[in-house]
Amino acid sequence: MSASDNMPASDPSPIRIEPDRLVRIMDRVFERLGLAGDERRVVVERLMEASLSGYHSHGVMRITMYTEGIRAGNMIPGAPLDILGETVSTVHLDANMGMGPWTATEAMKLAVGKAAATGVGCASVVNANDIARLGGYVEQPAKEGYIALLMTNDAGGNPCVAPWGATSPLMSTNPMAVGIPRESGDPVLIDISTGVTSEGGLKMLRNKGQAVPDGWLIDGDGRATTDAEAYFATPRRAAILPLGSLIAGHKGFALSILVDVLTGGLSGAGCSGRSPEDLDQNALFVLVIDPEKFVSRAAFSAEVDRLVESIKGARKAPGVDEIRVPGEGARRKRERQLKQGIEVDPPVWSAIQDILDELGIGRDNV
């Protein structure tokens, strides 16, 4: 199923594009931009996995972000991943502004290797870049029997979330993801922002001409607002609220501090408030645990299975057909979009076509 390349500009409805076509487009674009071999493959896989899983703001939409980053010199294809320090269970890495998905993939591999040897593996990364959807990196280790955790914090830049009780943006969205192995099925996959939404989510609403839901933004006077343009103004006239919004945002704020200190603090990249600018950088924190060094993988995953079945068997609220655990919704969207095509917003599709033209890649050839 392919969308027309000449959709009316005024139509805000998402366009469905065949997954294989999007893979070809990204492969050609990133090849022209200097990505080679496994690095290009990993970047394409991570963006595709995000879009297929329904995280459109962290998937194909980022072709434009990565193109701009490479052209500006903020993302460097082929940059080395240097080891700044290492022990049997820890490693401190300098990504040298390399491509974020490649950096995160390699950091996770190193942490998994150390966890296999010692029970716990930890990686801290400085001078990294955007890594798209965090959940895409923790799912495979969880399938292999490991508990895997990943956090990022924008290295102290990109202020967009107001601290609890404040009205101006200071924190990043400071997301985290955790993959938890199960004995009889797919892992439990937690993938959340410590802000009530992501910046990409706001961009998608703006692309569709839709208002921001109540409880997502607060203006400089401390009043709730649904105006996305107030957030994207320069300087910003609105801030994203912490996870929990105006009712329980102190909890999301607390989680955000945890992410900040484990990523920016341990790596040396810096925590929120370090700079008022968007530094086009990221700091990463990776923690992998091998349950075999504790109760055993079999015992741990069986207990997680028992917990999941208990949750699913809980009495349902009125109107609820099924209780799902984190990760199930994304996997179902992945299966559906593999068959029906990936949804792409018209402004994003138009920007991708412009990039194809600029790079001399014929639209009919991909």
Side-chain angles (χ1 to χ4, degrees):
M1 178 185 313
S2 178
S4 168
D5 290 347
N6 299 304
M7 291 288 291
S10 59
D11 185 356
S13 303
I15 304 163
R16 287 196 179 273
I17 313 293
E18 301 101 326
D20 287 348
R21 186 182 185 197
L22 286 173
V23 168
R24 292 194 301 271
I25 287 172
M26 286 194 285
D27 189 69
R28 292 292 299 280
V29 166
F30 291 131
E31 180 183 33
R32 291 289 177 92
L33 292 171
L35 278 71
D38 286 342
E39 180 183 49
R40 184 169 76 246
R41 175 186 56 78
V42 166
V43 171
V44 172
E45 285 179 353
R46 292 278 64 81
L47 296 186
M48 278 298 297
E49 187 275 338
S51 280
L52 283 169
S53 300
Y55 290 73
H56 299 295
S57 62
H58 290 67
V60 173
M61 182 177 178
R62 302 211 170 189
I63 293 174
T64 54
M65 175 195 292
Y66 286 14
T67 299
E68 292 168 0
I70 292 169
R71 287 172 168 170
N74 299 321
M75 295 182 172
I76 304 174
L81 186 60
D82 293 330
I83 295 177
L84 301 176
E86 187 173 20
T87 71
V88 292
S89 59
T90 66
V91 62
H92 187 195
L93 301 167
D94 186 341
N96 292 296
M97 302 306 294
M99 301 304 297
W102 172 258
T103 297
T105 298
E106 293 300 299
M108 183 62 71
K109 286 180 182 177
L110 290 171
V112 167
K114 290 180 178 296
T118 68
V120 176
C122 182
S124 177
V125 189
V126 69
N127 294 323
N129 265 313
D130 180 81
I131 66 172
R133 182 197 177 212
L134 274 66
Y137 303 93
V138 299
E139 187 168 11
Q140 186 57 40
K143 288 181 178 179
E144 296 170 5
Y146 298 96
I147 305 166
L149 178 148
L150 174 61
M151 301 177 173
T152 69
N153 87 323
D154 281 323
N158 193 28
C160 53
V161 179
W164 180 246
T167 62
S168 58
L170 179 83
M171 322 288 285
S172 172
T173 54
N174 290 355
M176 65 173 72
V178 185
I180 305 170
R182 290 179 57 190
E183 182 179 51
S184 64
D186 290 311
V188 175
L189 192 62
I190 301 166
D191 189 347
I192 61 172
S193 165
T194 58
V196 75
T197 186
S198 67
E199 187 171 290
L202 292 175
K203 287 180 180 177
M204 288 189 64
L205 290 176
R206 184 175 63 168
N207 287 345
K208 296 176 180 178
Q210 297 177 357
V212 177
D214 289 330
W216 281 24
L217 296 177
I218 190 170
D219 68 17
D221 295 322
R223 297 172 300 194
T225 178
T226 60
D227 181 11
E229 295 304 328
Y231 174 82
F232 288 108
T234 303
R236 283 179 176 154
R237 303 194 309 272
I240 298 172
L241 285 162
L243 183 65
S245 192
L246 293 171
I247 297 175
H250 60 288
K251 297 182 180 181
F253 173 50
L255 285 174
S256 183
I257 292 175
L258 173 64
V259 173
D260 242 336
V261 297
L262 288 178
T263 53
L266 279 183
S267 69
C271 299
S272 294
R274 184 180 180 93
S275 169
E277 306 298 329
D278 183 346
L279 301 177
D280 290 317
Q281 293 184 22
N282 233 327
L284 313 180
F285 175 77
V286 181
L287 178 65
V288 178
I289 301 170
D290 185 357
E292 190 64 33
K293 306 300 191 295
F294 297 87
V295 295
S296 81
R297 289 186 185 180
F300 176 82
S301 59
E303 181 59 20
V304 174
D305 243 7
R306 186 205 60 75
L307 171 63
V308 169
E309 293 308 312
S310 295
I311 291 171
K312 286 182 165 295
R315 181 178 299 173
K316 301 175 182 64
V320 174
D321 296 326
E322 177 190 18
I323 297 174
R324 299 186 302 190
V325 295
E328 286 187 306
R331 280 186 284 270
R332 293 178 187 179
K333 288 178 182 176
R334 196 181 309 168
E335 293 171 359
R336 183 167 61 250
Q337 290 196 115
L338 278 170
K339 298 176 182 177
Q340 300 176 352
I342 292 177
E343 292 183 352
V344 181
D345 291 336
V348 174
W349 182 236
S350 178
I352 292 172
Q353 290 178 304
D354 289 343
I355 291 171
L356 291 174
D357 293 341
E358 292 165 7
L359 295 175
I361 302 171
R363 298 182 185 185
D364 296 334
N365 297 326
V366 290

